[in-house]
Amino acid sequence: MSFIDAMRIGWRAIGSNRLRSGLTTLGLVIGVSSVIVLIAVGQGTQKEVTDSIQGLGTDLIFVSPGISQDNASGTSGARGSATTLVLSDAHAIGSANIPDLVDVAGELKITAQAITGAENQTVDVVATTEEWKYVRDANIAAGRFLNSVDVEDNELSIVLGSSVAETLFLENDPIGESLRLSIAGGRVSFNFQVIGVMSPRSGNEGLELNDQVYIPVTALQSRLRRFLRNADGEISINQIVIQTSPDADKAIVKHLISEVLIYKHQVAEPDFTIQSQDDLINAATEVSNTLSLLLGSVAGISLLVGGIGVMNIMLVSVTERTREIGIRRAVGAQSKDIVRQFVTEALMLSVFGGLAGVAIGVGISILLDGREIAGQTMTTVIQEWSIFLAFAVSAGVGLISGIYPAYKATFVDPINALRNE
Amino acid sequence: MIKLENVERTYGIGSNAVHALTGVNLQIDQGEYLSIMGSSGSGKSTLMNIIGCLDRPTAGDYYFEGHEVGKLHDDARAQLRGKVFGFVFQSYNLLPRLTALEQVELPLMYQKIPNRKRRAAEALIQVGLKSRLHHHPNELSGGEQQRVAIARSLVVNPRIVVADEPTGALDTRTGTEVMELLSSLVEKESITVTIVTHEQLIADYTKRIIRMSDGKIIEDSHRITSEIVDRS
């Protein structure tokens, strides 16, 4: 019996009981499609996180106060919770002649309520210096960004992110207008003068930057000494952002920054954390790879269950078709012919299931991409390897599921099978 | 062609053992037309299964064309069945999903014989089913189904056709047609035909009648002589 004959017999057997065949393969269909969809979702999450990190700008290194990991007690405070980073650290890094270092900006982020005559909005206030504009490649739509005079003279100048300007000033030109920032639940507030509006940023970057406002780092610090300065009277900041040239060796730059700060802080161990964008991406990738693996394993289990379903039905099928097997044996079918027949049938079932699963999995992944679900925009990235893997596992599981029932079928005794009823 | 020597067949073991055949000696020559008769439980079906290589003797020897075939393993017997034997059963034993043509192709498929369709069609035409090639068993009458089964047994050009109660499920008229068809095989193709039956009317078609009782052959009569006697 040729393989084509076996396929023809299998096709007929599958076709003669479509409902059962459909239900049998359903387990594999669900298994294969969920492997593809879940891996696509996992990879989509990774892409989203990676994009948002890359959206911060290019070739950035971030210094945060304190060490978040591996401290002696085993408990780990949130990074940035210690107040060890001051504005002069940014200046020290900037003037240390570190090769490939382009710009340095220190920043302090706080949340405030921005109030105009009629409107108000919660905004992220970035208290920084004029270098910020270069570090983050910011473009000004109207007016100007903070300059060194603003910083030196503790000016109450403010630059608005594009959405903030739209919300608070609607159609009006905000330049020169007054805006009140209310800090610490309204206990402190200052009137700022709008000197510029940023160009809108798109994508993930826009989500962050368009809602921010920018003020001189000295503006609040000079007025709220106790609140925002450390014991030595230095201006506390919670991040230093450093831009390097594109071909810089990030490890060397990070090491030199670390040396500078250790020397300046007079400490034995770093009391700060330095991360490049690559570090952040690697960390995020690690998390989402683990997520993908987890999702894929869950889906893999359903694939296994689907395979058991195929084996179950094949066993039932062999029992039901004892007479058929007997007839085939009587007219000359050998064990290998019977094995081939049932293995081929199981293989066909699982290949159909696998193909349907691939189609449905890819279809769902495409449908989900860009959809908003529960307020979250889904991103799916279909992985070719996941399609091949899921299909191969499905076919393999089907093949294995067919072998035992087929082997059992060879024990059918033609005499018993053909005995007149 | 076929020679059984002291063939025994026992089912089960120990005190539950059933001795279906107890020392059967039988010789069948090429082109013979014989029937095996006996009441149910006489061992006639067991004997047929052994002759048709569907079953193996527990003891004794079975020579086919001088070769001991009683101890062959399953697959070797399957191959022998496919090449040399044709089977006709009381309940036809057709596969419900296949057309008449495909039923007849089946033995050729397992024998890897080429031109399956043409050979199968020829066999069906030979049994008078030219207009039924593409019908499924449920679209055929009992007599037609049995003729499909006969075509299936003939298509491999067997040396011997073994028929187990071939008319058992048929009415008298179609039963007669089937018997005439089987008789013609012996005459035209000189195929050995062995019929297992409990009906004397059916056995009367054959030239040799073997009667069995309690697993033994109790009578082996060649009817050629008796017919000559009758005519005179």
Side-chain angles (χ1 to χ4, degrees), chain B residues 63-78:
Chain B
Y63 295 98
F64 185 87
E65 311 260 81
H67 301 287
E68 163 62 58
V69 295
K71 290 169 187 70
L72 291 177
H73 64 79
D74 287 358
D75 282 341
R77 280 188 292 123

Side-chain angles (χ1 to χ4, degrees), chain A residues 80-299:
Chain A
S81 57
T83 56
T84 54
L85 220 51
V86 292
L87 189 60
S88 61
D89 289 341
H91 294 144
I93 294 167
S95 53
N97 278 325
I98 296 171
D100 293 320
L101 189 145
V102 179
D103 279 302
V104 182
E107 59 178 45
L108 174 71
K109 277 190 192 170
I110 56 173
T111 307
Q113 198 70 13
I115 305 156
T116 60
E119 311 290 335
N120 78 82
Q121 187 193 355
T122 305
V123 293
D124 290 323
V125 179
V126 179
T128 184
T129 57
E130 67 276 14
E131 287 92 353
W132 193 93
K133 181 185 162 192
Y134 307 109
V135 170
R136 300 300 299 269
D137 294 324
N139 286 316
I140 299 295
R144 60 172 178 85
F145 195 71
L146 306 170
N147 61 23
S148 55
V149 178
D150 294 319
V151 178
E152 273 161 33
D153 294 353
N154 312 332
E155 292 287 351
L156 287 171
S157 305
I158 189 163
V159 178
L160 307 180
S162 58
S163 338
V164 179
E166 271 173 44
T167 313
L168 295 181
F169 293 95
L170 308 171
E171 305 286 297
N172 306 320
D173 181 9
I175 307 292
E177 296 294 323
S178 167
L179 182 147
R180 200 149 56 88
L181 282 188
S182 168
I183 301 160
R187 276 178 281 165
V188 189
S189 65
F190 296 100
N191 279 319
F192 284 79
Q193 190 186 26
V194 179
I195 57 166
V197 177
M198 310 287 279
S199 302
R201 303 273 275 243
S202 57
N204 288 306
E205 213 179 350
L207 291 177
E208 181 198 356
L209 297 184
N210 295 342
D211 285 329
Q212 290 182 341
V213 300
Y214 310 90
I215 60 171
V217 70
T218 51
L220 293 178
Q221 314 244 357
S222 61
R223 293 168 175 85
L224 296 168
R225 284 169 184 274
R226 279 190 306 149
F227 184 46
L228 294 166
R229 289 185 179 226
N230 73 0
D232 303 328
E234 295 245 32
I235 297 171
S236 295
I237 53 176
N238 54 22
Q239 184 164 264
I240 298 172
V241 187
I242 295 134
Q243 188 174 37
T244 65
S245 56
D247 46 359
D249 185 331
K250 304 286 190 301
I252 293 175
V253 176
K254 277 165 65 181
H255 177 71
L256 292 173
I257 292 170
S258 179
E259 296 281 289
V260 169
L261 291 180
I262 286 175
Y263 178 75
K264 184 170 177 291
H265 291 183
Q266 293 293 312
V267 289
E269 293 293 316
D271 53 354
F272 49 86
T273 303
I274 304 177
Q275 287 179 300
S276 68
Q277 258 172 309
D278 295 338
D279 296 335
L280 295 176
I281 288 170
N282 288 343
T285 304
E286 213 169 290
V287 171
S288 57
N289 277 347
T290 310
L291 181 75
S292 289
L293 189 70
L294 187 76
L295 293 175
S297 315
V298 171

